């Protein structure tokens, strides 16, 4: 009976990451220095979620305080979690690992279009435009300037899904009848960004152990069964 009702793992996200990344390289997100705070927040939130390979709940728990954001000599940025946060599979007493985000400059030249989607570039500009206060400790803050508190857990996931849906809406309007083939959008879940990130990392130059460490999986079973 248990086998009869078991659900097969859903492995392939039903949306096209590369269409979304192309959308983030154009208006209203670029030029990034003149983008609205809402669009800058959406872009930085999506790219940091993708680059980190972490759950949205974990990205939500990253600290935006100056003492918890470190810029490295190679251009990378290291992010710390808020001290009270415990990840889904983190045992009490285990130290929280740093989340290290590398710039795209080690992969593409800054003159190439893909360089516009550098997560470190987006994060640096975002932090420069978002002053912190004791009541606003998280890395990503509300796009409503009147909001006096940190965002709730589901907010970041809504932003990620919003970017995906906006990318498809923009594509439908600009490419209708153009013959460009993309993965049809049947649904979009923020958690699928994690699947894209880990799978693409494994297919490039990263070893399985590096993917598991970055995404904070203790074994390969969950990744292979549900995300790869």
């Amino acid at each position: 009976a248990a086998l009869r009702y078991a659900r097969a793992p859903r492995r392939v996200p039903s949306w096209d990451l590369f269409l979304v990344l192309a959308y983030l390289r154009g208006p209203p997100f670029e030029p990034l220095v003149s983008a609205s705070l809402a669009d800058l927040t959406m872009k930085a939130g999506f790219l940091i979620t993708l680059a980190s390979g972490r759950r949205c709940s974990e990205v939500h728990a990253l600290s935006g305080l100056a003492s918890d954001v470190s810029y490295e000599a190679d251009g990378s940025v290291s992010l710390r979690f808020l001290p009270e946060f415990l990840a889904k599979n983190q045992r009490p007493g285990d130290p929280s690992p740093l989340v290290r985000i590398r710039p795209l400059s080690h992969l593409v030249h800054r003159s190439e279009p893909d360089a516009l989607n550098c997560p470190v570039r987006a994060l640096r500009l975002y932090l420069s435009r978002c002053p912190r206060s004791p009541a606003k400790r998280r890395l990503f803050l509300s796009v409503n300037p009147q909001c006096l508190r940190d965002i709730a857990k589901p907010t970041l996931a809504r932003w990620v899904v919003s970017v995906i849906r906006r990318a498809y809406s923009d594509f439908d309007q600009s490419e209708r009848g153009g013959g460009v083939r993309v993965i049809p959008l049947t649904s979009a879940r923020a958690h699928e960004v994690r699947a894209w990130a880990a799978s693409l990392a494994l297919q490039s130059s990263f070893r399985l152990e590096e993917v598991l460490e970055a995404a904070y999986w203790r074994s390969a079973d969950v990744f292979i069964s549900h995300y790869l």
Side-chain angles (χ1 to χ4, degrees), residues 23 27-28 165-176:
Y23 174 59
R165 296 194 178 280
R166 286 173 59 185
Y168 269 84
S169 176
D170 179 78
F171 176 79
D172 287 344
Q173 295 174 28
S174 62
E175 301 290 344
R176 190 181 300 277

Side-chain angles (χ1 to χ4, degrees), residues 153-210:
K153 277 187 181 181
T155 302
L156 180 66
R158 287 200 299 268
W159 291 347
V160 169
V161 172
S162 174
V163 169
I164 297 169
R165 296 194 178 280
R166 286 173 59 185
Y168 269 84
S169 176
D170 179 78
F171 176 79
D172 287 344
Q173 295 174 28
S174 62
E175 301 290 344
R176 190 181 300 277
V180 180
R181 298 184 64 183
V182 300
I183 300 172
L185 178 65
T186 57
S187 66
R189 298 186 299 173
H191 206 58
E192 292 166 333
V193 175
R194 182 168 162 86
W196 271 113
S199 297
L200 290 174
L202 186 65
Q203 291 172 24
S204 57
S205 59
F206 292 91
R207 294 179 291 107
L208 176 59
E209 292 77 12
E210 293 176 302

Side-chain angles (χ1 to χ4, degrees), residues 7-199:
R7 296 176 60 185
R10 175 184 169 192
R11 298 189 179 184
V12 182
S14 56
W15 52 274
D16 194 318
L17 173 64
F18 302 100
L19 182 149
V20 177
L21 292 177
Y23 174 59
L24 289 172
R25 293 197 299 266
F29 304 99
E30 295 291 342
L32 197 59
V33 292
S34 57
S36 69
L37 180 58
D39 287 327
L40 174 59
T41 301
M42 297 284 184
K43 178 164 183 170
F46 187 95
L47 292 179
I48 292 299
T49 303
L50 176 66
S52 67
R54 291 300 197 112
R55 302 173 181 88
C56 282
S57 61
E58 295 170 358
V59 178
H60 169 261
L62 289 171
S63 171
L65 300 177
S67 58
D68 293 326
V69 179
S70 303
Y71 296 102
E72 313 299 338
D74 64 354
S76 300
V77 59
S78 293
L79 304 169
R80 294 175 177 82
F81 291 102
L82 295 173
E84 67 270 21
F85 175 72
L86 196 68
K88 182 178 180 180
N89 58 346
Q90 182 180 356
R91 300 186 185 98
D94 285 354
S96 294
L98 292 176
V99 175
R100 184 167 179 260
I101 307 295
R102 298 183 66 187
L104 289 188
S105 57
H106 71 288
L107 293 174
V108 298
H109 191 269
R110 62 182 181 180
S111 63
E112 295 183 37
D114 283 339
L116 294 175
N117 279 338
C118 175
V120 176
R121 167 182 176 259
L123 183 62
R124 277 182 174 273
L125 184 56
Y126 175 74
L127 289 174
S128 72
R129 290 180 60 179
C130 295
R132 306 284 143 172
S133 70
K136 294 183 177 181
R137 300 179 300 153
R138 299 186 187 276
L139 182 64
F140 290 106
L141 307 179
S142 172
V143 297
N144 178 5
Q146 305 302 319
C147 182
L148 302 178
R149 299 180 180 179
D150 277 327
I151 61 172
K153 277 187 181 181
T155 302
L156 180 66
R158 287 200 299 268
W159 291 347
V160 169
V161 172
S162 174
V163 169
I164 297 169
R165 296 194 178 280
R166 286 173 59 185
Y168 269 84
S169 176
D170 179 78
F171 176 79
D172 287 344
Q173 295 174 28
S174 62
E175 301 290 344
R176 190 181 300 277
V180 180
R181 298 184 64 183
V182 300
I183 300 172
L185 178 65
T186 57
S187 66
R189 298 186 299 173
H191 206 58
E192 292 166 333
V193 175
R194 182 168 162 86
W196 271 113
S199 297

